[in-house]
Amino acid sequence: MRESPQNVTAMKQSYIQLSRPFSEDEALINKKLPKELFLRIFSYLDVVSLCRCAQVSKSWNLLALDGSNWQRIDLFNFQTDVKGPVIENLSKRCGGFLRKLSLRGCQSIGDASMKTLASYCNNVEEINLNGCKEITDNTCQSLNRYCHKLLRLDITSCSSITDLSLRALSEGCPSITHINISWCNNITDAGIEALAHGCRKIKSFIAKGVIQITDRAISCLAQSCPDLETLILHGCTNLEDKAVISLAENCKNLQYLCLSGCNRLTDASLIILAQQCHQLSTLEVAGCSQFTDAGFQALSRNCRYLEKMDLEECVLITDSTLIHLAVGCPRLEKLSLSHCELITDDGIRHLGTSPCASEHLTVLELDNCPLITDTSLEHLIHCHNLQRIELYDCQLITRTGIRRLRNHLPNIKVHAYFAPITPPPSAVNSRQRYCRCCVIL
């Protein structure tokens, strides 16, 4: 049946109306919501979402690109290789609104772009330059000149950074509370001393793999920055007990301490921490091979807030350490005992039946503990919050023992490895070792 000419004309008009996009004035959302509410909504969006909103219409473009929406910027997922002009345009758009900027992994960003950013965004409080390998001391000179409100700075793996940067920060950014200089191998004691003298409000200092650090730098940091709460010195192999003693005597509020890989330390460090730092909640001392039961016994008696402990490769500790931790550390949640080869089922028994384990223990790492057996797993069945257990290369643990543990803790993640069973030799074209007559006889 053919449509009448009137119906065809009406259908064409309807099609034209439906296919024509709304003008900004016709869009109902633009009529109903005030601009202030739009700005509030846009303030929760990330960079990519803001850029998409800016392409919707002219009015949305103005609102999305308003500097007040660009107070927190993270370009890690923006594009694979952010170029300098992007940072310079952002700097001019954000101006004094910018508070937090992450350029983590933006390896093409150099000093010129950072100088532009510092000059336009002088209210910035947090900058993450982790992995920005083109950055040099010139960037910290720019921060010194313009960014006096800076509180947090991450320059991890900025390999061209030297002591000059820390000196510049100490002079121009005295309010810094958190700084990460991990893997900046050109930094020495002199730079850290300058930083400590100028930035006395530091609460978190992270320096993984800064191998030139010695007791001198840490002692100066401890004396100048008594509010220190987090100190991570993983792989700073030149440190000795003197550094930890100064730290414990001056920084009573220390909560997170990582000394993993500092293998020159002895029980004297643990004992002074036990005496002075009662607020410790996380202690990482993996690879500190001179620590013994005596040091951990002192800790367990005095540091009752300990929640996370990494004792991997503390090869001298025995079940005695576990007995004292079970009694003295009721909040213990995560414990690594990997490569502690003297630990036995008896130590796990004391740990597994303690109040701390049944109420709080969530992660237990026992890789390469050759003396533990399925009996240890039976001692853990009452640890109702246990979420993960590591059992790689525990030769006396069996599939049956793991299955029994899972029957009691169905949600637990068990990481273990069992070598595949060696297949039997092929019987093809092979002679039997004995004939039937021999079997009968």
Side-chain angles (χ1 to χ4, degrees):
M1 180 177 176
R2 296 184 63 184
E3 296 284 352
S4 66
Q6 294 84 357
N7 289 339
V8 172
T9 302
M11 291 173 63
K12 287 182 178 180
Q13 291 175 346
S14 298
Y15 175 78
I16 292 172
Q17 291 177 352
L18 289 172
S19 61
R20 178 168 54 85
F22 285 113
S23 69
E24 293 180 29
D25 294 333
E26 293 172 331
L28 186 60
I29 190 172
N30 290 338
K31 293 181 179 179
K32 294 293 185 180
L33 295 183
K35 292 183 178 180
E36 292 78 13
L37 188 54
F38 268 115
L39 287 172
R40 184 62 183 269
I41 294 171
F42 286 166
S43 70
Y44 292 98
L45 301 181
D46 59 23
V47 173
V48 175
S49 299
L50 282 171
C51 290
R52 289 172 178 167
C53 289
Q55 299 175 58
V56 171
S57 67
K58 290 182 179 179
S59 62
W60 277 37
N61 181 277
L62 293 173
L63 292 169
L65 299 184
D66 188 274
S68 63
N69 293 320
W70 297 76
Q71 297 182 41
R72 298 173 300 276
I73 299 175
D74 187 344
L75 295 183
F76 183 76
N77 294 317
F78 181 65
Q79 60 187 57
T80 56
D81 191 13
V82 177
K83 301 295 184 181
V86 172
I87 303 303
E88 293 162 16
N89 291 336
L90 276 175
S91 303
K92 295 171 184 177
R93 177 177 302 135
C94 301
F97 286 107
L98 185 64
R99 294 294 185 274
K100 180 178 178 180
L101 174 68
S102 177
L103 299 177
R104 179 169 60 102
C106 298
Q107 297 190 31
S108 297
I109 300 303
D111 295 324
S113 300
M114 289 305 300
K115 182 177 180 180
T116 301
L117 183 134
S119 62
Y120 278 93
C121 307
N122 48 23
N123 289 322
V124 67
E125 297 174 353
E126 181 173 344
I127 300 177
N128 187 339
L129 299 173
N130 186 334
C132 298
K133 298 183 182 299
E134 297 297 318
I135 295 299
T136 74
D137 293 328
N138 289 332
T139 286
C140 290
Q141 294 287 356
S142 297
L143 297 178
N144 163 295
R145 184 176 179 183
Y146 299 108
C147 301
H148 307 305
K149 297 181 181 180
L150 190 65
L151 300 176
R152 295 170 176 257
L153 178 65
D154 188 340
I155 47 176
T156 298
S157 298
C158 294
S159 52
S160 297
I161 293 292
T162 73
D163 292 339
L164 294 177
S165 286
L166 299 193
R167 189 170 291 111
L169 293 171
S170 71
E171 295 169 355
C173 309
S175 298
I176 286 179
T177 57
H178 296 69
I179 186 165
N180 190 337
I181 60 169
S182 297
W183 315 113
C184 294
N185 292 324
N186 291 317
I187 288 178
T188 71
D189 286 349
I192 295 172
E193 287 177 320
L195 180 74
H197 288 311
C199 302
R200 295 178 175 268
K201 298 179 182 179
I202 291 178
K203 292 184 177 181
S204 175
F205 183 81
I206 303 176
K208 298 178 185 177
V210 184
I211 56 177
Q212 298 192 65
I213 290 180
T214 71
D215 294 350
R216 188 182 111 195
I218 300 306
S219 296
C220 179
L221 184 70
Q223 293 165 14
S224 300
C225 306
D227 294 332
L228 200 62
E229 297 176 356
T230 296
L231 181 63
I232 300 179
L233 301 170
H234 186 115
C236 297
T237 54
N238 289 318
L239 296 182
E240 299 183 359
D241 292 327
K242 181 180 178 181
V244 181
I245 291 172
S246 180
L247 183 69
E249 291 176 344
N250 292 280
C251 303
K252 309 294 185 181
N253 295 322
L254 198 63
Q255 298 175 22
Y256 186 149
L257 178 60
C258 174
L259 299 168
S260 295
C262 302
N263 52 19
R264 298 187 183 187
L265 302 178
T266 71
D267 282 341
S269 289
L270 296 181
I271 292 171
I272 191 66
L273 287 170
Q275 293 171 349
Q276 304 289 343
C277 299
H278 300 160
Q279 303 301 315
L280 265 182
S281 62
T282 298
L283 179 65
E284 298 174 358
V285 290
C288 294
S289 55
Q290 297 190 60
F291 289 165
T292 72
D293 294 330
F296 291 110
Q297 178 180 344
L299 269 180
S300 62
R301 287 177 176 174
N302 295 281
C303 300
R304 299 185 63 81
Y305 295 109
L306 278 168
E307 297 177 355
K308 301 174 185 178
M309 296 185 72
D310 184 353
L311 312 186
E312 181 174 347
E313 292 185 350
C314 292
V315 294
L316 297 180
I317 66 172
T318 70
D319 293 337
S320 177
T321 288
L322 296 191
I323 293 171
H324 286 99
L325 291 179
V327 174
C329 301
R331 300 188 180 189
L332 202 58
E333 297 178 7
K334 298 182 179 180
L335 178 63
S336 176
L337 299 167
S338 298
H339 295 272
C340 296
E341 298 184 357
L342 301 179
I343 298 297
T344 72
D345 293 335
D346 191 53
I348 302 300
R349 176 175 66 84
H350 283 89
L351 180 68
T353 56
S354 67
C356 78
S358 60
E359 296 177 13
H360 299 290
L361 192 66
T362 59
V363 175
L364 182 60
E365 298 179 357
L366 297 169
D367 297 335
N368 291 93
C369 292
L371 300 181
I372 65 170
T373 70
D374 288 347
T375 303
S376 285
L377 303 187
E378 293 177 8
H379 295 321
L380 297 173
I381 61 176
H382 298 297
C383 301
H384 303 297
N385 290 314
L386 195 60
Q387 300 173 8
R388 175 168 61 86
I389 185 169
E390 304 284 338
L391 297 168
Y392 288 111
D393 292 318
C394 295
Q395 301 296 329
L396 301 180
I397 297 291
T398 68
R399 288 183 173 87
T400 302
I402 293 174
R403 194 178 304 116
R404 197 177 298 125
L405 178 66
R406 280 182 168 146
N407 287 337
H408 290 87
L409 304 172
N411 296 322
I412 193 173
K413 294 181 179 179
V414 180
H415 296 162
Y417 172 77
F418 295 95
I421 300 174
T422 304
S426 175
V428 179
N429 297 326
S430 63
R431 295 179 61 192
Q432 293 183 358
R433 187 173 181 185
Y434 303 107
C435 69
R436 290 186 178 181
C437 298
C438 295
V439 173
I440 294 172
L441 294 175

